[in-house]
């Protein structure tokens, strides 16, 4: 085994500075295809959420009507007795 030189042991090697690519000033223009597809996805997600919320509301209304009819049935039976 060869022993390292003491002077090189803690030497920090410097790197060259970063360079910009040659066409850096010519940034690409964003395409409209991506934004329209994102908008379509967004609207479809909103539709799904709205649809699910409507289903939940319908179930709540059905449960409420069943509870009301049961309550009315019980009240009628109590009144008759």
């Amino acid at each position: 085994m060869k022993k390292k030189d003491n002077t090189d042991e803690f030497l920090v090697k410097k790197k060259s500075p970063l360079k910009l690519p040659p066409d850096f000033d010519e940034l690409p223009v964003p395409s409209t295809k991506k934004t329209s597809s994102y908008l379509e996805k967004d609207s479809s997600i909103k539709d799904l959420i709205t649809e699910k919320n409507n289903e939940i509301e319908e179930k709540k209304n059905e449960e409420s009507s069943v509870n009301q009819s049961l309550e009315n049935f019980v009240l009628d039976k109590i009144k008759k007795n």
Side-chain angles (χ1 to χ4, degrees):
M1 285 201 326
K2 187 176 177 183
K3 188 176 179 181
K4 291 184 176 181
D5 290 339
N6 284 340
T7 58
D8 287 346
E9 186 174 356
F10 297 105
L11 179 68
V12 176
K13 294 182 181 178
K14 292 187 175 184
K15 295 183 179 179
S16 61
L18 296 175
K19 295 180 182 177
L20 291 174
D23 59 347
F24 180 74
D25 292 331
E26 300 171 12
L27 292 174
V29 178
S31 68
T32 58
K33 289 181 181 180
K34 288 181 182 177
T35 56
S36 66
S37 68
Y38 289 129
L39 289 174
E40 289 173 7
K41 287 179 184 177
D42 186 44
S43 68
S44 66
I45 291 173
K46 285 180 181 178
D47 290 343
L48 288 173
I49 291 172
T50 305
E51 199 173 292
K52 190 67 177 173
N53 284 341
N54 288 340
E55 288 176 9
I56 291 171
E57 285 299 318
E58 286 176 6
K59 284 184 180 181
K60 283 182 181 179
N61 289 339
E62 287 175 10
E63 289 175 1
S64 174
S65 67
V66 167
N67 287 339
Q68 276 292 358
S69 64
L70 179 65
E71 184 179 345
N72 288 336
F73 176 76
V74 170
L75 286 174
D76 285 343
K77 287 293 182 181
I78 291 174
K79 286 179 184 177
K80 288 181 181 179
N81 290 335

